């Protein structure tokens, strides 16, 4: 069942091109620049969105916020479900809650859905498992079409959640009139290209990840940095590394560095930076110069055309706008995977963790 791969996690990382294609199937009208989500037809256009989720699904939600606010202009707040459910949130008529869950059985996310509905908000379940509790208890469901995910560490599910969130932002961007038709056409055309670009890139990515993992296998702690939509990715990179390789890692917004974490930088504390060549690149670059000035070693995921001079420049292709995320995410997953495998950890069944957290 592992299809010739050593672990389910590796198989699932390699399935991501197909996952993107499956999640897009039947949901793209390219000529009209339209994302088709008929599931949402019964809902009013949200005045505000609340995204509620846990773990990797929370990171996907945080990423979605950048697109939803920029493309659709809908104020969006993203919350960890275990906080949302106990903090007496103010929900107004017109608010819509998006509950994101791969398994559809996460106890805190379900409690968030129940609370939101009790308070009169409509709930969109963004979920992978048909007939799951999240699917049953939400007002409408958008299935993420990732197929069964076996490895405890979530990989392809996040990729599918990001795809679905991109479609949601496009769809709302059309409804609110904030995103031009041309921008929507460009985005959708580039989304459709992602599977083949990623397919070609994954084997190369794995080789590079394996070399880097070996180089850094004695590090006991990592800092992951990113800005904008790559900040949630920094959080996700750190989560992947800690959950399967048991190496401590922290994800930070790169601009927060000088507000504390910079004190930790020394030659034994490496930084993994997300540095796509975009409008925030100069800012990330200057954050990395601060790390270098303190002797910190750096791995930087970046794109061709970057003039970064750091210890390990890891170039991956650039995609349209924030879609570069879809190429950076598997690199982060691969690095964590290769590290855990090199260190001899139980990749698919990490200690102390369950695939779905059905108790709080
Ligand atoms: O099934 P869910 O998406 O609701 O699960 C949420 C988290 O438990 C899950 O993403 C967890 O953080 C993974 N182990 C991360 O790899």
């Amino acid at each position: 069942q592992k299809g010739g791969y050593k672990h389910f996690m590796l198989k699932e990382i390699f399935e991501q091109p197909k996952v993107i294609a499956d999640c897009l199937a039947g949901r793209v009208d390219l000529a009209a620049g339209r994302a088709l989500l008929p599931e949402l037809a019964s809902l009013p256009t949200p005045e505000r969105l609340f995204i509620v989720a846990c773990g990797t699904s929370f990171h996907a939600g945080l990423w979605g916020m950048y697109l939803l606010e920029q493309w659709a202009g809908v104020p969006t707040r993203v919350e960890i479900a275990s906080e949302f459910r106990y903090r007496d949130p103010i929900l107004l008529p017109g608010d819509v809650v998006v509950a994101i869950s791969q398994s559809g059985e996460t106890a805190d996310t379900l409690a968030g859905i129940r609370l939101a509905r009790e308070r009169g908000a409509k709930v969109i379940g963004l979920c992978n498992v048909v007939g799951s509790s999240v699917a049953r208890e939400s007002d409408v469901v958008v299935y993420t079409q990732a197929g069964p995910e076996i490895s405890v560490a979530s990989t392809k599910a996040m990729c599918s959640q990001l795809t679905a969130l991109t479609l949601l932002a496009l769809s709302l961007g059309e409804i609110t009139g904030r995103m031009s038709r041309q921008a929507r056409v460009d985005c959708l055309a580039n989304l459709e290209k992602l599977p083949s670009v990623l397919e070609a890139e994954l084997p190369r990515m794995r080789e590079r990840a394996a070399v880097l993992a070996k180089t850094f296998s004695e590090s006991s702690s990592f800092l992951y940095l990113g800005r904008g939509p790559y900040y949630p990715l920094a959080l996700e990179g750190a989560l992947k590394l800690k959950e399967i390789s048991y190496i401590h890692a922290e994800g930070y917004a790169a601009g927060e560095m000088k507000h504390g974490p910079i004190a930790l930088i020394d030659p034994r504390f490496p930084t993994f930076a997300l540095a796509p060549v975009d409008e925030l690149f100069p800012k990330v670059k200057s954050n990395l110069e601060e790390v270098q000035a303190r002797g910190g070693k750096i791995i930087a995921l970046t794109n061709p055309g970057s003039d970064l001079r750091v210890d390990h420049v890891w170039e991956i292709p650039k995609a349209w706008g924030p879609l570069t995320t879809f190429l950076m995410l598997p690199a982060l997953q691969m690095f964590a995977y290769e590290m855990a495998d090199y260190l001899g950890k139980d990749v698919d069944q990490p200690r102390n963790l369950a695939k779905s957290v059905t108790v709080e």
Side-chain angles (χ1 to χ4, degrees):
Q1 321 148 335
K2 290 187 199 148
Y5 290 95
K6 187 170 175 190
H7 296 99
F8 281 109
M9 182 179 176
L10 189 60
K11 174 175 178 264
E12 289 161 2
I13 291 172
F14 272 89
E15 279 171 0
Q16 290 175 111
K18 178 172 174 344
V19 163
I20 298 170
D22 288 350
C23 190
L24 294 179
R27 288 173 167 166
V28 175
D29 178 344
L30 194 55
R34 183 163 296 145
L36 307 172
L37 292 173
E39 302 90 327
L40 305 185
S42 62
L43 293 186
T45 305
E47 277 167 35
R48 299 189 306 171
L49 283 166
F50 286 73
I51 301 182
V52 175
C54 302
T56 290
S57 298
F58 168 72
H59 298 154
L62 204 52
W63 183 88
M65 176 189 78
Y66 288 84
L67 274 62
L68 287 158
E69 293 207 328
Q70 195 188 339
W71 295 356
V74 180
T76 303
R77 179 169 183 150
V78 191
E79 294 199 46
I80 293 171
S82 55
E83 290 297 314
F84 178 80
R85 68 178 289 191
Y86 288 121
R87 78 168 180 82
D88 199 12
I90 295 167
L91 291 169
L92 304 172
D95 287 345
V96 171
V97 170
V98 181
I100 308 180
S101 176
Q102 184 286 130
S103 61
E105 301 300 342
T106 300
D108 286 319
T109 307
L110 266 173
I113 292 176
R114 289 175 190 148
L115 177 71
R117 293 190 73 192
E118 260 165 45
R119 296 188 174 196
K122 292 285 181 206
V123 176
I124 303 173
L126 214 77
C127 177
N128 193 37
V129 178
V130 177
S132 60
S133 305
V134 166
R136 282 185 279 110
E137 297 202 26
S138 300
D139 292 288
V140 299
V141 190
V142 174
Y143 284 109
T144 50
Q145 314 286 11
E149 191 179 62
I150 309 295
S151 174
V152 165
S154 185
T155 55
K156 65 172 180 171
M158 181 169 183
C159 173
S160 69
Q161 291 163 346
L162 300 180
T163 310
L165 284 163
T166 305
L167 293 173
L168 180 63
L170 282 164
S171 162
L172 291 176
E174 181 181 5
I175 294 168
T176 62
R178 172 122 165 170
M179 196 175 183
S180 71
R181 182 185 161 278
Q182 192 53 51
R184 287 181 276 116
V185 169
D186 290 346
C187 179
L188 286 166
N190 282 284
L191 258 181
E192 289 196 317
K193 280 191 213 148
L194 280 176
S196 60
V197 177
L198 190 53
E199 185 89 55
E201 201 53 31
L202 285 170
R204 239 194 317 276
M205 243 180 220
R206 185 176 177 202
E207 281 168 27
R208 189 71 202 272
V211 172
L212 287 170
K214 215 165 157 181
T215 309
F216 285 92
S217 59
E218 283 174 18
S219 303
S220 56
S221 209
F222 270 85
L223 182 64
Y224 281 71
L225 295 179
R227 276 181 184 256
Y230 301 91
Y231 159 53
L233 236 58
L235 299 179
E236 176 60 10
L239 175 62
K240 285 284 95 78
L241 190 69
K242 57 192 150 195
E243 76 175 329
I244 59 168
S245 72
Y246 317 146
I247 293 174
H248 169 255
E250 271 189 80
Y252 252 93
E256 273 290 288
M257 264 258 299
K258 57 174 77 62
H259 299 282
I262 199 164
L264 291 165
I265 303 292
D266 72 17
R268 283 166 299 119
F269 184 49
T271 295
F272 195 127
L274 295 157
V277 181
D278 61 9
E279 54 293 349
L280 292 174
F281 178 74
K283 303 279 174 199
V284 176
K285 189 176 165 190
S286 92
N287 296 134
L288 296 182
E289 282 161 2
E290 289 162 7
V291 172
Q292 278 177 311
R294 286 151 186 90
K297 297 266 177 296
I298 298 172
I299 302 173
L301 258 184
T302 187
N303 306 125
S306 133
D307 57 354
L308 279 180
R309 300 271 173 276
V310 298
D311 308 280
H312 303 273
V313 174
W314 185 354
E315 269 189 14
I316 55 158
K318 184 164 165 49
W320 184 90
L323 302 188
T324 302
T325 300
F326 289 87
L327 296 154
M328 291 206 162
L329 176 65
L332 295 169
Q333 298 165 341
M334 218 73 105
F335 178 71
Y337 170 81
E338 291 295 345
M339 184 68 91
D341 190 40
Y342 183 73
L343 296 175
K345 308 298 181 203
D346 186 350
V347 172
D348 284 334
Q349 293 287 336
R351 69 186 182 202
N352 309 338
L353 290 174
K355 180 63 183 161
S356 89
V357 184
T358 55
V359 290
E360 57 171 311

